[in-house]
Amino acid sequence: GMPTAALAALVIGVGWLGYPATVIGIAEAGGPDVPVVSLALLGCVQAGIALAVRRPVTAWLQRPGLWAAIVRVNTVAMTMYLWHVTVLVLVVGGLALTGAWWSVAPLSTAWWLTRPLWLAALLMLLVPVAVVMAPIEHRVPPARPRAAGSIATAAMVAATGAASGAIALLVGGGVLGLSGIAGAATLTAAARHAGAFGTPAR
């Protein structure tokens, strides 16, 4: 059907037409280069797989214990999504400081064999981060006077801009750096002022 045809076209595109195996490549100018055609084909393949396994997976999820666990994980899904790149950057940055002993050629046999280890290690580090951050992100700040709220909002906007600039410098200049630390510290201070960690700063 359609998923099979899309998969065949995707294999041809990656194997013979030069599309990157990662789906998203890097353009000559240094920015992201998204091959829309291969991305659409990948979406067709994934949608086809999802529809093919829908009935057995739905039946499997009827178990109360399993469904309760999935609902619990779903409450921190956004937290994990927002923090997984931070964990990845810290892990790769830490490894980069130790040399290149851990690096393997992309798509090589060693690369494929080490993917489960990478995922397991990142998940082990991401889970405690999500456990710590989820209650903070779900907490509703107490009401405050309009003036104080305006100051907190302005501080958050300024801190978000500073953090975004730091991330841009981080991506362009290296894995770790003082800019990233400064941005994170600024954002944390503004969040503290806005009451994300409890009572707003006076």
Side-chain angles (χ1 to χ4, degrees):
M2 181 186 68
T4 304
L7 179 61
L10 185 61
V11 170
I12 293 173
V14 173
W16 287 277
L17 300 182
Y19 285 110
T22 57
V23 179
I24 298 179
I26 302 298
E28 294 182 359
D33 180 20
V34 182
V36 178
V37 174
S38 64
L39 195 60
L41 291 173
L42 179 62
C44 290
V45 173
Q46 294 173 335
I49 294 174
L51 291 174
V53 301
R54 179 181 178 182
R55 285 189 177 181
V57 169
T58 300
W60 185 53
L61 293 178
Q62 296 302 315
R63 304 175 182 179
L66 179 61
W67 182 247
I70 291 176
V71 171
R72 177 58 181 167
V73 172
N74 193 53
T75 60
V76 296
M78 182 57 69
T79 300
M80 298 181 74
Y81 172 75
L82 293 174
W83 287 94
H84 78 281
V85 173
T86 301
V87 172
L88 176 62
V89 169
L90 292 175
V91 170
V92 174
L95 288 174
L97 296 176
T98 66
W101 60 270
W102 53 277
S103 181
V104 295
L107 302 181
S108 64
T109 301
W111 188 89
W112 285 109
L113 292 176
T114 54
R115 292 314 90 189
L117 297 177
W118 267 104
L119 293 176
L122 293 175
L123 183 61
M124 289 177 60
L125 295 173
L126 179 59
V127 167
V129 171
V131 170
V132 171
M133 297 305 300
I136 297 174
E137 294 178 352
H138 293 168
R139 183 177 299 165
V140 178
R144 60 177 61 88
R146 184 179 181 85
S150 300
I151 295 175
T153 300
M156 287 296 292
V157 171
T160 301
S164 300
I167 292 173
L169 292 175
L170 198 62
V171 173
V175 177
L176 296 174
L178 294 177
S179 58
I181 297 174
T186 304
L187 187 58
T188 301
R192 170 68 182 85
H193 181 83
F197 303 103
T199 305
R202 298 298 181 184

